[in-house]
Every structure is written in C-alpha cells, then in structure tokens.
C-alpha cells in the first residue's frame, strides 16, 4: 500500500469510497464537481496488488492562517482495522505541518479514532472574535460546521467537533 496525492483519475474511486458513508449519513454527499475542484486537497491510500484499487481517501482543507480541517476521511470496509485510516490521517497531518498550520479540526462520528491521534472534543468557538467574523463570511459548509452555525445543525446532528494542536 502507498499513500499519495490524489489525481483527477481517482475521483471516481474516491466517490465510490465515500458513497456508502454518505448513504448512511456519516459523510456528506458531494457533487462530482466538488471533488474535482478540491482534488489537490486529497490524499489516497492505494493497494498496489495485482489489481490496484483505492483503500481510503481524505482531504486537508485550509480554513485560516493557523487552522485546517480533515475532511472526507473514508476507508473501504475491507481495509478497516489494518491501520490504513491512521496512516492516511498521519499523512494529512504532515501536510498540515508542511503548510504551517498549527491546529486541525474535524467533525466526526469516529471520536475514539481521532482521540487516539490526539484530537480533543471542543465546545464553543476555537477562534478569536475577529477571525470568527472573517470565517463567517465563507460560503464553505465545512467552515460553517467548524463555527457551529445554526444553519448547519440539521446536517451535523450526532457529530462531534474535535481539534488537534500540532
């Protein structure tokens, strides 16, 4: 298995990895164009066996000077329990460090998984009021989820907001 940056040719595979998670409302369903627009944010774990295939995907989305979000972390059920998700998360956190990001956010049902990697549950706002005022202008739903805006509450029921300081 290797972890590498995603390519446009991976988008169909990424969507297939995400589909069952979106159907069960663990991840948000997105249009194909959204994945193509953000392909540079994604890394994938690829099985290099006789028939190469994607085992997992995940993205790092920068939200502010010192803040990014782990998004769309999905692992194929056949690869669960093999450390694929952990390896992919570590690669995304390395990307965050390379970019100079100091804090990484996630919105997740997988609290134990992220806690094992140092993420902590957060309540309230994790940014200064002036940064909040800037972020609230974003059209990005992930930013709205981070800010815990009322308009995204129906889509985030049961999810936990978590933060890691690098």
């Amino acid at each position: 298995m290797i972890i590498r940056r995603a390519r446009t040719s991976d988008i169909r595979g990424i969507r297939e990895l995400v589909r069952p998670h979106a159907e069960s409302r663990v991840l948000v369903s997105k249009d194909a164009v959204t994945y193509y627009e953000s392909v540079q944010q994604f890394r994938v774990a690829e099985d290099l066996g006789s028939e190469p295939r994607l085992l997992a995907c995940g993205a790092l989305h920068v939200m502010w000077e010192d803040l990014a979000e782990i998004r769309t972390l999905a692992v194929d059920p056949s690869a669960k329990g093999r450390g694929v998700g952990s390896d992919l998360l570590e690669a995304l956190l390395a990307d965050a460090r390379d970019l100079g990001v100091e804090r990484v956010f996630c919105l997740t049902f997988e609290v134990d998984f992220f806690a094992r990697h140092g993420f902590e549950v957060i309540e309230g706002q994790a940014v200064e009021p002036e940064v909040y005022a800037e972020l609230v202008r974003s059209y990005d739903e992930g930013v709205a989820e981070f800010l815990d805006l009322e308009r995204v509450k129906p889509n985030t029921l049961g999810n936990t907001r978590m933060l890691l300081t690098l």
Side-chain angles (χ1 to χ4, degrees):
M1 176 196 79
I2 63 163
I3 294 177
R4 61 170 173 76
R5 295 212 173 274
R7 303 177 188 119
T8 56
S9 59
D10 293 321
I11 297 302
R12 282 189 173 88
I14 289 171
R15 292 186 76 210
E16 281 303 306
L17 282 168
V18 171
R19 186 182 46 74
H21 301 287
E23 288 172 354
S24 64
R25 301 183 55 88
V26 170
L27 292 176
V28 176
S29 180
K30 298 176 187 167
D31 294 322
V33 67
T34 303
Y35 289 104
Y36 285 108
E37 288 174 341
S38 60
V39 68
Q40 71 280 1
Q41 298 176 8
F42 275 85
R43 284 195 175 268
V44 294
E46 183 177 23
D47 181 348
L48 297 175
S50 59
E51 292 184 33
R53 66 185 182 99
L54 297 186
L55 298 175
C57 65
L60 179 74
H61 177 79
V62 175
M63 297 167 67
W64 197 250
E65 178 181 6
D66 67 339
L67 181 66
E69 178 186 10
I70 298 292
R71 292 184 171 179
T72 320
L73 187 60
V75 177
D76 185 279
S78 70
K80 288 211 175 187
R82 294 181 17 207
V84 175
S86 292
D87 290 349
L88 186 58
L89 178 59
E90 289 303 323
L92 293 168
L93 295 176
D95 290 344
R97 288 181 189 93
D98 288 347
L99 291 168
V101 171
E102 296 169 2
R103 298 178 304 154
V104 180
F105 164 78
C106 71
L107 182 69
T108 186
F109 288 105
E110 300 293 337
V111 174
D112 292 340
F113 171 80
F114 282 97
R116 284 193 306 271
H117 293 277
F119 284 77
E120 297 178 351
V121 174
I122 58 170
E123 300 290 335
Q125 289 307 319
V127 293
E128 300 298 320
E130 54 276 358
V131 175
Y132 179 93
E134 291 291 332
L135 288 175
V136 79
R137 296 180 182 140
S138 175
Y139 294 105
D140 188 280
E141 287 300 300
V143 173
E145 291 165 351
F146 170 74
L147 296 176
D148 205 25
L149 298 181
E150 202 61 40
R151 68 180 169 84
V152 296
K153 297 272 188 190
N155 296 330
T156 61
L157 290 176
N159 279 304
T160 300
R161 297 164 67 238
M162 300 184 80
L163 191 68
L164 170 69
T165 302
L166 298 174

